[in-house]
Short mmCIF file of all heavy atoms in Angstrom, two decimals:
data_model
loop_
_atom_site.label_atom_id
_atom_site.label_comp_id
_atom_site.label_asym_id
_atom_site.label_seq_id
_atom_site.Cartn_x
_atom_site.Cartn_y
_atom_site.Cartn_z
N THR G 29 -21.13 112.40 113.18
CA THR G 29 -19.78 112.94 112.95
C THR G 29 -18.87 112.76 114.14
O THR G 29 -17.68 112.52 114.00
CB THR G 29 -19.86 114.45 112.58
OG1 THR G 29 -20.57 115.13 113.60
CG2 THR G 29 -20.57 114.62 111.25
N GLU G 30 -19.43 112.86 115.35
CA GLU G 30 -18.60 112.74 116.56
C GLU G 30 -18.17 111.32 116.83
O GLU G 30 -17.02 111.07 117.20
CB GLU G 30 -19.40 113.29 117.75
CG GLU G 30 -18.59 113.24 119.06
CD GLU G 30 -19.37 113.86 120.23
OE1 GLU G 30 -20.46 114.43 119.99
OE2 GLU G 30 -18.90 113.72 121.38
N TYR G 31 -19.06 110.35 116.60
CA TYR G 31 -18.76 108.96 116.96
C TYR G 31 -18.34 108.12 115.77
O TYR G 31 -17.66 107.08 115.96
CB TYR G 31 -19.98 108.30 117.63
CG TYR G 31 -20.24 108.79 119.03
CD1 TYR G 31 -21.05 109.89 119.26
CD2 TYR G 31 -19.67 108.14 120.10
CE1 TYR G 31 -21.30 110.34 120.56
CE2 TYR G 31 -19.89 108.58 121.41
CZ TYR G 31 -20.70 109.68 121.62
OH TYR G 31 -20.95 110.14 122.89
N HIS G 32 -18.72 108.47 114.57
CA HIS G 32 -18.49 107.60 113.43
C HIS G 32 -17.83 108.34 112.25
O HIS G 32 -17.70 107.74 111.18
CB HIS G 32 -19.79 106.96 112.97
CG HIS G 32 -20.50 106.21 114.04
ND1 HIS G 32 -20.06 104.98 114.50
CD2 HIS G 32 -21.57 106.54 114.82
CE1 HIS G 32 -20.88 104.55 115.47
NE2 HIS G 32 -21.78 105.47 115.68
N GLY G 33 -17.43 109.58 112.43
CA GLY G 33 -16.73 110.29 111.37
C GLY G 33 -17.60 110.59 110.15
O GLY G 33 -18.80 110.80 110.26
N LEU G 34 -16.99 110.51 108.99
CA LEU G 34 -17.69 110.81 107.74
C LEU G 34 -18.19 109.57 107.00
O LEU G 34 -18.87 109.68 105.99
CB LEU G 34 -16.78 111.60 106.78
CG LEU G 34 -16.35 113.00 107.28
CD1 LEU G 34 -15.37 113.60 106.27
CD2 LEU G 34 -17.56 113.90 107.44
N GLU G 35 -17.91 108.39 107.55
CA GLU G 35 -18.31 107.15 106.87
C GLU G 35 -19.80 107.07 106.61
O GLU G 35 -20.23 106.63 105.55
CB GLU G 35 -17.82 105.93 107.70
CG GLU G 35 -18.16 104.61 107.08
CD GLU G 35 -17.76 103.45 107.93
OE1 GLU G 35 -17.11 103.67 108.96
OE2 GLU G 35 -18.10 102.30 107.58
N PRO G 36 -20.68 107.44 107.59
CA PRO G 36 -22.13 107.31 107.32
C PRO G 36 -22.61 108.21 106.19
O PRO G 36 -23.71 107.99 105.67
CB PRO G 36 -22.74 107.76 108.66
CG PRO G 36 -21.71 107.56 109.68
CD PRO G 36 -20.43 107.86 108.97
N PHE G 37 -21.82 109.18 105.76
CA PHE G 37 -22.27 110.14 104.72
C PHE G 37 -21.69 109.82 103.34
O PHE G 37 -21.91 110.58 102.41
CB PHE G 37 -21.86 111.57 105.12
CG PHE G 37 -22.36 111.99 106.47
CD1 PHE G 37 -21.56 111.84 107.60
CD2 PHE G 37 -23.66 112.49 106.64
CE1 PHE G 37 -22.02 112.23 108.85
CE2 PHE G 37 -24.12 112.84 107.88
CZ PHE G 37 -23.31 112.70 108.99
N GLU G 38 -20.96 108.70 103.23
CA GLU G 38 -20.31 108.39 101.97
C GLU G 38 -21.28 108.16 100.83
O GLU G 38 -20.96 108.42 99.67
CB GLU G 38 -19.37 107.19 102.14
CG GLU G 38 -18.17 107.47 103.01
CD GLU G 38 -17.28 106.28 103.20
OE1 GLU G 38 -17.70 105.17 102.81
OE2 GLU G 38 -16.19 106.43 103.79
N ASP G 39 -22.46 107.65 101.10
CA ASP G 39 -23.45 107.40 100.05
C ASP G 39 -24.38 108.61 99.82
O ASP G 39 -25.29 108.54 99.00
CB ASP G 39 -24.29 106.16 100.35
CG ASP G 39 -25.07 106.33 101.66
OD1 ASP G 39 -24.68 107.18 102.47
OD2 ASP G 39 -26.07 105.58 101.86
N MET G 40 -24.12 109.69 100.57
CA MET G 40 -24.98 110.87 100.42
C MET G 40 -24.28 112.00 99.63
O MET G 40 -24.91 112.70 98.86
CB MET G 40 -25.34 111.44 101.80
CG MET G 40 -26.13 110.52 102.67
SD MET G 40 -26.56 111.30 104.25
CE MET G 40 -27.39 109.94 105.07
N PHE G 41 -22.97 112.14 99.86
CA PHE G 41 -22.23 113.27 99.26
C PHE G 41 -21.22 112.77 98.21
O PHE G 41 -20.73 111.61 98.31
CB PHE G 41 -21.51 114.05 100.34
CG PHE G 41 -22.40 114.58 101.41
CD1 PHE G 41 -21.97 114.60 102.74
CD2 PHE G 41 -23.66 115.06 101.12
CE1 PHE G 41 -22.79 115.09 103.73
CE2 PHE G 41 -24.49 115.56 102.11
CZ PHE G 41 -24.06 115.58 103.42
N ASP G 42 -20.87 113.61 97.28
CA ASP G 42 -19.84 113.31 96.31
C ASP G 42 -18.48 113.26 97.01
O ASP G 42 -18.29 113.79 98.09
CB ASP G 42 -19.82 114.38 95.21
CG ASP G 42 -21.09 114.39 94.39
OD1 ASP G 42 -21.78 113.32 94.35
OD2 ASP G 42 -21.45 115.45 93.82
N ASP G 43 -17.52 112.65 96.31
CA ASP G 43 -16.18 112.52 96.88
C ASP G 43 -15.55 113.89 97.14
O ASP G 43 -14.81 114.08 98.11
CB ASP G 43 -15.27 111.73 95.94
CG ASP G 43 -15.68 110.26 95.84
OD1 ASP G 43 -16.41 109.81 96.77
OD2 ASP G 43 -15.33 109.60 94.86
N SER G 44 -15.85 114.86 96.27
CA SER G 44 -15.29 116.19 96.47
C SER G 44 -15.83 116.86 97.74
O SER G 44 -15.08 117.53 98.47
CB SER G 44 -15.59 117.07 95.25
OG SER G 44 -17.00 117.19 95.04
N VAL G 45 -17.12 116.65 97.99
CA VAL G 45 -17.72 117.22 99.21
C VAL G 45 -17.12 116.55 100.44
O VAL G 45 -16.78 117.21 101.43
CB VAL G 45 -19.25 117.05 99.20
CG1 VAL G 45 -19.85 117.51 100.51
CG2 VAL G 45 -19.85 117.80 98.02
N LEU G 46 -16.97 115.23 100.39
CA LEU G 46 -16.39 114.49 101.53
C LEU G 46 -14.94 114.94 101.77
O LEU G 46 -14.49 115.05 102.90
CB LEU G 46 -16.43 113.00 101.26
CG LEU G 46 -17.82 112.36 101.28
CD1 LEU G 46 -17.76 110.92 100.80
CD2 LEU G 46 -18.42 112.42 102.69
N ALA G 47 -14.21 115.21 100.68
CA ALA G 47 -12.82 115.66 100.79
C ALA G 47 -12.78 117.05 101.46
O ALA G 47 -11.90 117.28 102.31
CB ALA G 47 -12.17 115.70 99.41
N ASP G 48 -13.71 117.91 101.12
CA ASP G 48 -13.76 119.23 101.76
C ASP G 48 -14.11 119.11 103.24
O ASP G 48 -13.52 119.80 104.08
CB ASP G 48 -14.80 120.13 101.05
CG ASP G 48 -14.37 120.50 99.65
OD1 ASP G 48 -13.14 120.46 99.39
OD2 ASP G 48 -15.25 120.85 98.84
N LEU G 49 -15.05 118.24 103.56
CA LEU G 49 -15.43 118.03 104.96
C LEU G 49 -14.29 117.45 105.75
O LEU G 49 -14.15 117.70 106.97
CB LEU G 49 -16.66 117.11 105.03
CG LEU G 49 -18.00 117.69 104.54
CD1 LEU G 49 -19.04 116.60 104.52
CD2 LEU G 49 -18.43 118.84 105.42
N ASP G 50 -13.45 116.65 105.10
CA ASP G 50 -12.35 116.01 105.81
C ASP G 50 -11.28 117.02 106.20
O ASP G 50 -10.43 116.74 107.09
CB ASP G 50 -11.76 114.91 104.94
CG ASP G 50 -10.85 113.98 105.68
OD1 ASP G 50 -11.19 113.66 106.86
OD2 ASP G 50 -9.81 113.59 105.16
N THR G 51 -11.26 118.17 105.55
CA THR G 51 -10.23 119.17 105.83
C THR G 51 -10.58 120.08 106.98
O THR G 51 -9.71 120.82 107.46
CB THR G 51 -9.98 120.02 104.58
OG1 THR G 51 -11.19 120.69 104.23
CG2 THR G 51 -9.49 119.17 103.42
N ILE G 52 -11.82 120.08 107.43
CA ILE G 52 -12.24 120.95 108.54
C ILE G 52 -12.31 120.16 109.83
O ILE G 52 -12.36 118.92 109.84
CB ILE G 52 -13.58 121.66 108.21
CG1 ILE G 52 -14.71 120.62 108.12
CG2 ILE G 52 -13.49 122.46 106.96
CD1 ILE G 52 -16.08 121.23 107.91
N SER G 53 -12.38 120.89 110.93
CA SER G 53 -12.40 120.23 112.25
C SER G 53 -13.71 119.51 112.46
O SER G 53 -14.73 119.87 111.87
CB SER G 53 -12.17 121.26 113.36
OG SER G 53 -13.27 122.16 113.41
N SER G 54 -13.68 118.49 113.33
CA SER G 54 -14.89 117.73 113.63
C SER G 54 -15.94 118.60 114.28
O SER G 54 -17.14 118.35 114.16
CB SER G 54 -14.53 116.56 114.56
OG SER G 54 -13.92 117.01 115.73
N TYR G 55 -15.49 119.69 114.97
CA TYR G 55 -16.46 120.59 115.60
C TYR G 55 -17.30 121.34 114.58
O TYR G 55 -18.48 121.63 114.81
CB TYR G 55 -15.69 121.58 116.50
CG TYR G 55 -16.57 122.59 117.17
CD1 TYR G 55 -17.28 122.26 118.32
CD2 TYR G 55 -16.69 123.88 116.67
CE1 TYR G 55 -18.09 123.19 118.97
CE2 TYR G 55 -17.50 124.82 117.28
CZ TYR G 55 -18.20 124.46 118.45
OH TYR G 55 -19.01 125.38 119.06
N GLN G 56 -16.69 121.65 113.41
CA GLN G 56 -17.40 122.43 112.41
C GLN G 56 -18.19 121.60 111.42
O GLN G 56 -19.03 122.08 110.71
CB GLN G 56 -16.38 123.29 111.64
CG GLN G 56 -15.68 124.34 112.48
CD GLN G 56 -14.58 125.05 111.70
OE1 GLN G 56 -13.90 124.43 110.88
NE2 GLN G 56 -14.42 126.33 111.97
N ARG G 57 -17.91 120.28 111.36
CA ARG G 57 -18.55 119.43 110.37
C ARG G 57 -20.08 119.44 110.45
O ARG G 57 -20.75 119.50 109.43
CB ARG G 57 -18.00 118.00 110.46
CG ARG G 57 -16.62 117.88 109.88
CD ARG G 57 -16.07 116.49 110.11
NE ARG G 57 -14.67 116.39 109.68
CZ ARG G 57 -13.91 115.36 109.94
NH1 ARG G 57 -14.38 114.30 110.63
NH2 ARG G 57 -12.63 115.34 109.53
N PRO G 58 -20.68 119.31 111.66
CA PRO G 58 -22.16 119.30 111.69
C PRO G 58 -22.78 120.54 111.06
O PRO G 58 -23.77 120.46 110.34
CB PRO G 58 -22.47 119.21 113.19
CG PRO G 58 -21.27 118.59 113.79
CD PRO G 58 -20.13 119.07 113.00
N GLN G 59 -22.19 121.74 111.32
CA GLN G 59 -22.73 122.97 110.74
C GLN G 59 -22.60 122.95 109.22
O GLN G 59 -23.53 123.35 108.50
CB GLN G 59 -21.98 124.17 111.33
CG GLN G 59 -22.33 124.51 112.76
CD GLN G 59 -21.51 123.71 113.77
OE1 GLN G 59 -20.79 122.81 113.40
NE2 GLN G 59 -21.63 124.05 115.00
N GLU G 60 -21.47 122.45 108.70
CA GLU G 60 -21.26 122.42 107.25
C GLU G 60 -22.22 121.40 106.61
O GLU G 60 -22.76 121.67 105.54
CB GLU G 60 -19.82 122.05 106.94
CG GLU G 60 -18.80 123.11 107.37
CD GLU G 60 -18.97 124.42 106.64
OE1 GLU G 60 -19.36 124.36 105.47
OE2 GLU G 60 -18.71 125.47 107.27
N ILE G 61 -22.44 120.27 107.25
CA ILE G 61 -23.30 119.23 106.67
C ILE G 61 -24.74 119.71 106.60
O ILE G 61 -25.42 119.51 105.59
CB ILE G 61 -23.14 117.92 107.46
CG1 ILE G 61 -21.76 117.30 107.24
CG2 ILE G 61 -24.24 116.91 107.05
CD1 ILE G 61 -21.47 116.08 108.06
N THR G 62 -25.22 120.34 107.68
CA THR G 62 -26.61 120.80 107.64
C THR G 62 -26.78 121.93 106.62
O THR G 62 -27.86 122.03 106.01
CB THR G 62 -27.05 121.32 109.03
OG1 THR G 62 -26.12 122.31 109.52
CG2 THR G 62 -27.13 120.16 110.01
N GLN G 63 -25.76 122.72 106.40
CA GLN G 63 -25.85 123.73 105.32
C GLN G 63 -25.97 123.08 103.98
O GLN G 63 -26.68 123.54 103.08
CB GLN G 63 -24.64 124.65 105.38
CG GLN G 63 -24.68 125.66 106.53
CD GLN G 63 -23.52 126.64 106.51
OE1 GLN G 63 -22.66 126.56 105.66
NE2 GLN G 63 -23.50 127.52 107.47
N ILE G 64 -25.23 121.98 103.77
CA ILE G 64 -25.35 121.25 102.51
C ILE G 64 -26.77 120.67 102.35
O ILE G 64 -27.34 120.66 101.25
CB ILE G 64 -24.31 120.11 102.46
CG1 ILE G 64 -22.90 120.69 102.45
CG2 ILE G 64 -24.51 119.24 101.21
CD1 ILE G 64 -21.81 119.66 102.57
N LEU G 65 -27.33 120.24 103.47
CA LEU G 65 -28.71 119.70 103.43
C LEU G 65 -29.74 120.76 103.13
O LEU G 65 -30.87 120.43 102.68
CB LEU G 65 -29.03 119.01 104.75
CG LEU G 65 -28.19 117.78 105.13
CD1 LEU G 65 -28.65 117.20 106.46
CD2 LEU G 65 -28.23 116.72 104.05
N GLY G 66 -29.43 122.04 103.43
CA GLY G 66 -30.33 123.10 103.08
C GLY G 66 -30.81 123.97 104.22
O GLY G 66 -31.73 124.78 104.06
N PHE G 67 -30.24 123.84 105.42
CA PHE G 67 -30.67 124.70 106.54
C PHE G 67 -29.49 124.90 107.51
O PHE G 67 -28.48 124.20 107.41
CB PHE G 67 -31.85 124.07 107.28
CG PHE G 67 -31.57 122.75 107.92
CD1 PHE G 67 -31.12 122.71 109.25
CD2 PHE G 67 -31.71 121.57 107.24
CE1 PHE G 67 -30.86 121.50 109.87
CE2 PHE G 67 -31.45 120.36 107.84
CZ PHE G 67 -30.99 120.31 109.18
N GLU G 68 -29.66 125.83 108.41
CA GLU G 68 -28.63 126.15 109.40
C GLU G 68 -28.71 125.19 110.58
O GLU G 68 -29.81 124.79 111.01
CB GLU G 68 -28.75 127.59 109.90
CG GLU G 68 -28.54 128.64 108.82
CD GLU G 68 -27.08 128.73 108.40
OE1 GLU G 68 -26.21 128.22 109.15
OE2 GLU G 68 -26.84 129.32 107.33
N TYR G 69 -27.56 124.80 111.10
CA TYR G 69 -27.48 123.87 112.25
C TYR G 69 -28.20 124.42 113.46
O TYR G 69 -28.12 125.62 113.74
CB TYR G 69 -26.01 123.62 112.57
CG TYR G 69 -25.78 122.68 113.73
CD1 TYR G 69 -25.72 121.33 113.55
CD2 TYR G 69 -25.61 123.19 115.02
CE1 TYR G 69 -25.51 120.46 114.60
CE2 TYR G 69 -25.38 122.35 116.09
CZ TYR G 69 -25.34 120.98 115.87
OH TYR G 69 -25.13 120.13 116.93
N LEU G 70 -28.87 123.56 114.20
CA LEU G 70 -29.58 123.97 115.41
C LEU G 70 -29.19 123.03 116.52
O LEU G 70 -29.31 121.81 116.39
CB LEU G 70 -31.08 123.91 115.19
CG LEU G 70 -31.97 124.51 116.30
CD1 LEU G 70 -31.70 126.01 116.43
CD2 LEU G 70 -33.44 124.28 115.96
N HIS G 71 -28.66 123.55 117.62
CA HIS G 71 -28.21 122.75 118.74
C HIS G 71 -29.35 121.89 119.30
O HIS G 71 -30.49 122.34 119.43
CB HIS G 71 -27.65 123.61 119.86
CG HIS G 71 -26.28 124.12 119.56
ND1 HIS G 71 -25.16 123.32 119.64
CD2 HIS G 71 -25.84 125.32 119.18
CE1 HIS G 71 -24.09 124.01 119.33
NE2 HIS G 71 -24.46 125.24 119.04
N SER G 72 -29.05 120.65 119.63
CA SER G 72 -30.05 119.74 120.14
C SER G 72 -30.57 120.16 121.49
O SER G 72 -31.71 119.83 121.87
CB SER G 72 -29.50 118.33 120.24
OG SER G 72 -28.37 118.30 121.07
N TRP G 73 -29.74 120.90 122.28
CA TRP G 73 -30.17 121.30 123.62
C TRP G 73 -30.93 122.62 123.61
O TRP G 73 -31.45 123.06 124.64
CB TRP G 73 -28.98 121.44 124.56
CG TRP G 73 -27.82 122.15 123.99
CD1 TRP G 73 -26.67 121.60 123.45
CD2 TRP G 73 -27.63 123.56 123.85
NE1 TRP G 73 -25.82 122.59 122.99
CE2 TRP G 73 -26.38 123.81 123.23
CE3 TRP G 73 -28.43 124.67 124.18
CZ2 TRP G 73 -25.92 125.06 122.94
CZ3 TRP G 73 -27.95 125.92 123.89
CH2 TRP G 73 -26.70 126.13 123.28
N SER G 74 -31.00 123.29 122.47
CA SER G 74 -31.70 124.59 122.40
C SER G 74 -33.20 124.41 122.31
O SER G 74 -33.69 123.34 121.99
CB SER G 74 -31.19 125.36 121.19
OG SER G 74 -31.53 124.69 120.01
N SER G 75 -33.91 125.49 122.58
CA SER G 75 -35.36 125.49 122.51
C SER G 75 -35.81 126.67 121.70
O SER G 75 -36.30 127.68 122.24
CB SER G 75 -35.98 125.55 123.92
OG SER G 75 -35.59 124.43 124.68
#
């Protein structure tokens, strides 16, 4: 999401989901996408 936007997810989500993701900030998109996948976002630097 940070380097390539929503393009890598176009074959994963419906157009309506992509439209909703496009309306929120890039900072919030990872949390929203992982929730769609079925779990809460977890920071890569956390332990």
Side-chain angles (χ1 to χ4, degrees):
T29 54
E30 181 177 352
Y31 287 90
H32 304 285
L34 295 176
E35 181 183 354
F37 304 95
E38 291 179 352
D39 61 340
M40 298 181 184
F41 303 141
D42 296 335
D43 292 340
S44 59
V45 175
L46 291 171
D48 291 338
L49 291 172
D50 195 39
T51 60
I52 64 177
S53 66
S54 58
Y55 178 80
Q56 295 174 324
R57 285 175 185 170
Q59 288 85 352
E60 294 296 327
I61 290 175
T62 54
Q63 285 184 359
I64 296 173
L65 297 180
F67 64 91
E68 297 288 344
Y69 180 86
L70 189 63
H71 283 285
S72 58
W73 44 259
S74 64
S75 299

